[in-house]
Amino acid sequence: MLIENMIMAFHAIRANKMRSFLTMLGIIIGIGSVISIVSIGDTMRGLFSDLYKDVGITQAYISIGYWVEDVRTSDYFTLDDLERIKRVFGDEIDYIDSSASASADAHAGRTTMKFDFSGVDYNYQDVQPVTILHGRYLNEGDILGRKTNVVMEKQSAVKLFGTENAVGKTFRTTLYGNTDEYTVVGVYEKKMNAFQALMMGVSSDTGAAFIPYTLLTWPNDNFYACRLFAKSDVDMSDFMNRLMAFIAKMKGRNPEDFSGQTAIEEMGTVDSVMGALSAAVGGIAAISLLVGGIGIMNIMLVSVTERTREIGIRKALGARTRDVLIQFLTESAILAACGGTIGVIFAVSVVSLGGILLNLPVVIKPGIILLAVSFSAVVGIFFGIYPASKAAKADPIDALRYE
């Protein structure tokens, strides 16, 4: 019986192709919008997750709180403080430095270029690996000796010196009022997609380089914050509480006077915001499904009116009220399901094409597709109940007289 009703439904849809397509258009737009928005949201969440994994999921920053009014010089960190933290928490920390960075112009011959200099320790390569193309990475002697040595990004070397292999070349720059000659000891490359470059603020006009962080602990070897990478198996919440309590005791402060930020917390916040935003926009897009459902109800009412005589003949030949009801419900469900299927194909095509053009991996969950098609069929059944009920209740005598 179901197969017969489905065949009759497809015959009815083919008999009025344009009308059927226009009726399905609301469902197509609704389903397509919902799947596209949910997929874009999931893709963005995945990209942010990959971004945080790239910069270090166990990364954390600690500093004196911005809300503290009576900040003392002793509240700032020193190199000795970092050594004490290493000794006490060495089993839980992979890396720690002063989180120092500076922007300045680099001068090489007649070429001047702005650079972002990141102060790092010699083992920064262990937690943030890069590919060394020429020369070497910073070593322990560079850090302890505060040598003006630099490891430069490949494209930055090309723009400043006109060659990728800039090992041994020098440039002048001024940091914290001190002008020095810096020597390139290594050239590195770090590959990232367009999204990572955008979110990490990478500019093609600004160079990037690593220098010993001991060159940027100004003034008097004091610095505002420290950056660390905990080991991968560390419970970050418990670790940060213990670490901040230790630092507070070391500085003669209360733990709440210090601010601690972790990549895991930031990632969780971003993921929650992206999820809520995706759900909200998806919900708004789903309103078009309601419009599509109303369109189905309208066209089914028209169909019932046009086929009144057919209904009368079927009932006169023995069709039960339930048979007529199921026939029209099946037709409305198939109409909506076809629209949902077309909407899915359209959405998947658009999202996939966008991912190819932007060179980004897209996330399209099969569960969302199945849910969308099923939901569109439910919408068709729901909005087809009234027209189907009207058809089923038609009096066969009146129906046969209808012209």
Side-chain angles (χ1 to χ4, degrees), residues 70-192:
D70 59 329
V71 177
R72 307 163 304 189
T73 303
S74 60
D75 293 331
Y76 294 104
F77 292 93
T78 65
L79 296 177
D80 289 337
D81 292 335
L82 296 191
E83 290 301 319
R84 291 182 64 183
I85 293 173
K86 285 180 184 179
R87 286 197 300 269
V88 176
F89 296 92
D91 293 337
E92 299 174 277
I93 293 178
D94 273 335
Y95 177 86
I96 188 169
D97 68 15
S98 63
S99 180
S101 62
S103 295
D105 288 333
H107 307 277
R110 295 182 179 181
T111 303
T112 297
M113 181 178 176
K114 186 175 181 179
F115 265 79
D116 287 333
F117 296 103
S118 298
V120 300
D121 206 345
Y122 71 94
N123 59 336
Y124 189 62
Q125 171 80 322
D126 296 338
V127 292
Q128 288 290 278
V130 295
T131 303
I132 298 297
L133 302 176
H134 307 284
R136 63 173 176 84
Y137 202 73
L138 296 174
N139 58 34
E140 192 170 6
D142 295 327
I143 308 301
L144 297 177
R146 302 194 182 199
K147 295 180 180 180
T148 54
N149 288 340
V150 176
V151 178
M152 185 174 292
E153 191 272 329
K154 179 182 70 173
Q155 294 301 323
S156 304
V158 172
K159 291 183 178 180
L160 185 62
F161 298 108
T163 179
E164 181 182 298
N165 187 359
V167 175
K169 295 187 179 296
T170 63
F171 63 89
R172 287 175 294 105
T173 191
T174 302
L175 298 175
Y176 297 147
N178 296 320
T179 301
D180 288 296
E181 196 87 7
Y182 285 75
T183 302
V184 179
V185 297
V187 177
Y188 73 90
E189 179 183 36
K190 187 173 179 65
K191 294 182 179 180
M192 58 181 68

Side-chain angles (χ1 to χ4, degrees), residues 21 47 53 96-97 106 113 134 136 160 170 182 195 228 234 257 285-286 328 353 364 383 400:
F21 174 75
L47 289 172
K53 289 177 182 177
I96 188 169
D97 68 15
M113 181 178 176
H134 307 284
R136 63 173 176 84
L160 185 62
T170 63
Y182 285 75
F195 177 79
L228 61 90
V234 169
D257 291 337
F328 282 90
L353 179 61
I364 303 175
F383 283 96
L400 288 170

Side-chain angles (χ1 to χ4, degrees), residues 2 17 49 70 74 86 89 94 100 171 226 238 243 248 254 258 261 272 276 316 341 347 403:
L2 178 60
K17 296 183 182 65
S49 178
D70 59 329
S74 60
K86 285 180 184 179
F89 296 92
D94 273 335
F171 63 89
C226 73
D238 174 68
L243 177 59
N254 296 318
F258 289 86
Q261 295 178 315
S272 297
T341 302
E403 293 294 339

Side-chain angles (χ1 to χ4, degrees), residues 302-313:
V302 173
S303 181
V304 168
T305 302
E306 290 179 345
R307 295 158 64 185
T308 300
R309 189 171 183 82
E310 174 194 331
I311 295 169
I313 293 172

